Amino acid sequence: MNQKVLATLEYYKIREFLSAKTTTEMGQNLANHLVPSQDYDLICENLAQTKEGADILRLKGGIPLANLETVTPQLKRLKIGAVLNGKELAAIGKILRSTSEIRRFFKEITTPEVPLPTLNQLLIRLESLPELTKVLNLSLEDDGYVRDEASPLLRSLRRQISGTEDEIRQRLVSFTKGSQAKYLTNAVVTMRDDRYVIPVKTEYKKHFGGMVHDQSASGATVFVEPKAIVELNNRLRQQQAKEHEEILRVLRELSQAVAPYTEEIDQNMRILGQLDFVNAKARYAADLKATQPELSAENDIYLRQVWHPLLDAKKAVKNDLAIGKDYKAIVITGPNTGGKTITLKTLGLIQLMGQSGLFIPAGEHSRIGVFTEIFADIGDEQSIEQSLSTFSSHMVNIVEILKHVDDKSLVLFDELGAGTDPQEGAALAISILDAVGAKGSYVVATTHYPELKAYGFERPETINASMEFDVETLQPTYRLLLGIPGRSNALEISLRLGLDTMVVEAARQLTSQSSQDLNEMIADLVEKRHTAEEEAISLNKYLTEAEKLHNDLRKAYNNFVSQRDSLLNQAKAKANEIVENTRKQTADVISDLHKMQQSAGNGVKENELIDAKTRLNKLEQPIHLQKNKVLQRAKAKKIFKEGDEVLVKSYGQRGTLMKKVGNHVWEVQIGILKMKLDEADLEKIAEEKPQKTVNRASVKRSRSVRTSASLDLRGKRYEEAMNEVDRYIDEAIMAGFPSVTIIHGKGTGALRKGITEYLQSNRAVKHFEYAPPNAGGNGATIVSFK
């Protein structure tokens, strides 16, 4: 991308904002040297990195990077065998430590919900080098100070130095107190030439013996190293020399340990810088409230509610800009200070930002293109040194632009053809636009010439546009109106500013009729556009509400269908399981009855029959109602007494309470049997008039063999069916069935009606009702006996 357009469109200011957001020297270098790319895949990758950086900023507050310095010079010196100082090695250790921290951070934050695929491609290239990192962290402080832990000898030397310094200070402090203090100008211990001294009055400089190292500016004080501590100072210097030698040895060993990993450290440094740069892009996007643009390989540009990034987002007027799909040229007309130039700069700068992998200040789902070059002829570049006028300087620039444009170029012309004779300038502007169009370039031009308004209507792939102007307030609104050329407002403005009406009318008479007609047409278009925009806003509001309601309903319906299908499948599976279990258990009961018949001859004992019926009753799957505290209290209040009629729930048989034989145990008479049962198995039933009971010791097998729990009457005539019902009910009562099912079908309803009337008149019938829908509905009747 040519450097001139970067300066013209103030791209460098964007780089300055980015640079201020970095925390590492490497990231700052990347921001300072950022340029737009022409590679579609690279732009996509850079935008994806910014998107992932924005996700991390939103979720975790950004990538946690320390203030790192570049170590490229240090690494080059290590390659030739140099020994680095403590500060240089500490900088390398800091990079290695940051590498480990960043790997750990991304391991924690990366989830299926936040995959971060693009940044993870960078992370897999990081080399943590844990052993080297540990050694450097153990040996060096961040400022390069070699720690005592770097070697046992260094720790020992420093302890000796500390002891010697304490001894020296104690000896010198003794001189500052008592009778010796009168010889001193100040009762302090200080240092000169790295040796401990005391400030002595000049006239007593020989009192303490030793050496004079310095004197004050006034000459009243000399700094004396007393003879008593000369030896101690000498010892201290020797210990310090040994310490220095040991520090050099440690630094030499550390440099040798780092040297084999210069390539890995250099790669880590660059990747950390790249992550810092991504972090800076995300922070800048957040400050700007920018969004991720879509990328169009066909240069179909659509910027929704875009504004210039260097303007305050709260005050800037936001416009829609589109070029590339239906038209490749836009001619913008309108008054001065109406916003034409800022519109050109906005389009160009937004495109440069997007091709640099930055988010753009525009609404979501905005699109940018990929241009190999962007050219701009904007502003007054009059050159005194070259003796060029405004027109000439523009022409020099335009000539250079026309030499390099192609079908992948975006060209921005501000006030094309201005600075010369209007007629010639308009003709020249049209010719230049034709030349650019002939090369297939994308072009946006601003102009004052009315001839170019007609150009926008006549040329293919070209559209007029204008900057709106409010005649009532005499102020521009800075709104871009695509499809509508700008009208001249000079006469209306002059009239409103107080110019005599006769003067304005005279000027109007001098204006050609075609110009007046054009202005009236433009005014009509502007008014109709306003009406259309108001209607569009209203319709969009209703459309948004309708779409939201539609989405909510669709979501609710999908949830309902999903839950219904799931519950239905569960119910079917459970029903199939119950049916299969019931079939097996029924077969066992029938088999047992056959065995009883074979062993008992013509009769079956009643207690055996009761046991078999009980087993059948237990096959029923009861539907438990929700717990009801009122019913529970009512049941708790029931009091059993001798002679009560009860239902034995486990057997499904009626019985009579004979006597209480335990705390909650009763003796119950069931037929000819007496059984001891718990109260929990008994249920009190309403008293009924006693009926004559015929006690049997056995039941004829010939009757029970034919009796089943259901009777199928389908296909039989009415009289035959009714006779069979009467006979079947008697057999079922004798067999002791608590309930049976009569299958009569739906048909005309005559048989169903007859059976209903019969059951109503039969005193042995306690209750009857149609079967459930899944068991035949009103095509079958379930009968319960008393």
Side-chain angles (χ1 to χ4, degrees), residues 144-259:
Y145 177 77
V146 180
R147 303 173 65 181
D148 296 351
E149 291 80 3
S151 78
L153 177 58
L154 183 61
R155 181 187 294 109
S156 175
L157 288 171
R158 284 180 174 169
R159 286 177 179 174
Q160 294 175 26
I161 291 171
S162 178
T164 302
E165 288 177 334
D166 288 342
E167 188 176 352
I168 292 173
R169 279 193 293 268
Q170 289 174 5
R171 296 286 295 274
L172 290 177
V173 167
S174 67
F175 292 132
T176 64
K177 297 178 180 179
S179 60
Q180 302 288 344
K182 62 185 178 181
Y183 303 110
L184 305 179
T185 55
N186 289 299
V188 296
V189 175
T190 185
M191 295 191 75
R192 289 294 187 273
D193 298 330
D194 293 328
R195 297 177 77 89
Y196 285 93
V197 295
I198 53 177
V200 181
K201 296 176 181 179
T202 303
E203 58 269 28
Y204 301 115
K205 61 182 179 180
K206 295 183 179 181
H207 177 75
F208 296 96
M211 298 174 57
V212 176
H213 287 275
D214 197 4
Q215 76 176 28
S216 65
S218 64
T221 301
V222 291
F223 296 93
V224 176
E225 178 185 359
K227 183 178 180 180
I229 68 161
V230 169
E231 188 61 32
L232 289 175
N233 266 331
N234 290 339
R235 187 202 308 171
L236 178 63
R237 295 295 294 271
Q238 292 172 359
Q239 292 170 345
Q240 289 173 338
K242 291 180 180 180
E243 177 197 23
H244 182 67
E245 291 178 2
E246 180 61 13
I247 289 174
L248 289 178
R249 187 193 68 78
V250 169
L251 294 177
R252 189 180 303 108
E253 284 189 359
L254 291 176
S255 297
Q256 292 172 352
V258 173

Side-chain angles (χ1 to χ4, degrees), residues 488-496 499 503-504 507-508 511 516:
S488 174
N489 298 296
L491 299 179
E492 286 78 4
I493 293 173
S494 300
L495 186 63
R496 285 188 144 318
L499 189 62
V503 176
V504 175
R508 200 183 301 278
T511 306
Q516 294 184 34

Side-chain angles (χ1 to χ4, degrees), residues 512-537:
S512 65
Q513 185 61 42
S514 60
S515 296
Q516 294 184 34
D517 292 342
L518 179 60
N519 280 335
E520 291 175 1
M521 178 190 71
I522 292 172
D524 183 58
L525 285 173
V526 172
E527 182 179 352
K528 289 181 178 178
R529 180 187 177 94
H530 275 301
T531 303
E533 286 179 347
E534 292 297 328
E535 292 178 353
I537 291 172

Side-chain angles (χ1 to χ4, degrees), residues 593-606 608-609 696-705 734:
L593 288 173
H594 279 299
K595 291 177 181 178
M596 288 184 214
Q597 175 62 27
Q598 292 172 1
S599 62
N602 293 329
V604 179
K605 294 181 180 179
E606 185 170 352
E608 294 176 342
L609 183 60
R696 300 180 179 83
S698 63
V699 178
K700 295 296 182 180
R701 184 64 180 171
S702 59
R703 177 71 65 182
S704 63
V705 168
M734 292 179 65

